[in-house]
Amino acid sequence: ANIVKCRPPNNRTPTAIEVQTCWDYLRRQIEIIRPQVIVTVGGPATKMVLEVSTGITKLRGTWHQYTRIDPPIPVMPTFHPAFLLRAYTRENRAKVWSDLQQVIDRVQA
């Protein structure tokens, strides 16, 4: 699910107000679905779901918790596909693949 329910003009990064406007809808989706894990892609989604201001570069690749539900849901932040298209390096692709492998391992465990 997207953090915002409609893409901002010119495909720009959503503003904090746009993210907050859509947050209740996404929060309710999470409560209803109760996923085994959440993968946040990109900074805005990660910051909103984890309620932090830390950037995606520092958060990606390590497990965190979505704590607005009991029991908490494991969260794996990773880079947004648009970032990978702009910074298409072997290193960045390896980081995302590592993140997704951790998710696969967690779900299959």
Side-chain angles (χ1 to χ4, degrees):
N2 287 323
I3 195 76
V4 292
K5 301 308 174 188
C6 56
R7 194 70 191 148
N10 299 317
N11 207 28
R12 66 170 163 68
T13 301
T15 66
I17 291 170
E18 290 166 335
V19 170
Q20 188 61 49
T21 299
C22 297
W23 173 243
D24 285 338
Y25 189 85
L26 179 59
R27 181 188 51 76
R28 187 70 183 124
Q29 284 180 303
I30 294 169
E31 288 173 0
I32 291 168
I33 295 169
R34 294 188 174 266
Q36 291 180 34
V37 299
I38 296 172
V39 178
T40 56
V41 289
T46 300
K47 289 176 181 180
M48 192 68 193
V49 169
L50 296 179
E51 301 179 278
V52 298
S53 59
T54 308
I56 186 66
T57 304
K58 290 186 178 186
L59 295 172
R60 65 135 297 273
T62 57
W63 286 104
H64 302 270
Q65 295 287 317
Y66 175 74
T67 58
R68 289 186 172 218
I69 198 167
D70 191 37
I73 299 171
V75 177
M76 174 58 70
T78 195
F79 293 132
H80 193 281
F83 168 78
L84 287 179
L85 291 174
R86 288 191 310 274
Y88 194 72
T89 66
R90 173 169 270 143
E91 180 183 9
N92 287 337
R93 292 191 317 264
K95 288 176 181 177
V96 171
W97 180 236
S98 173
D99 300 344
L100 295 178
Q101 285 179 310
Q102 288 186 66
V103 172
I104 291 167
D105 291 344
R106 186 96 174 227
V107 170
Q108 290 179 344

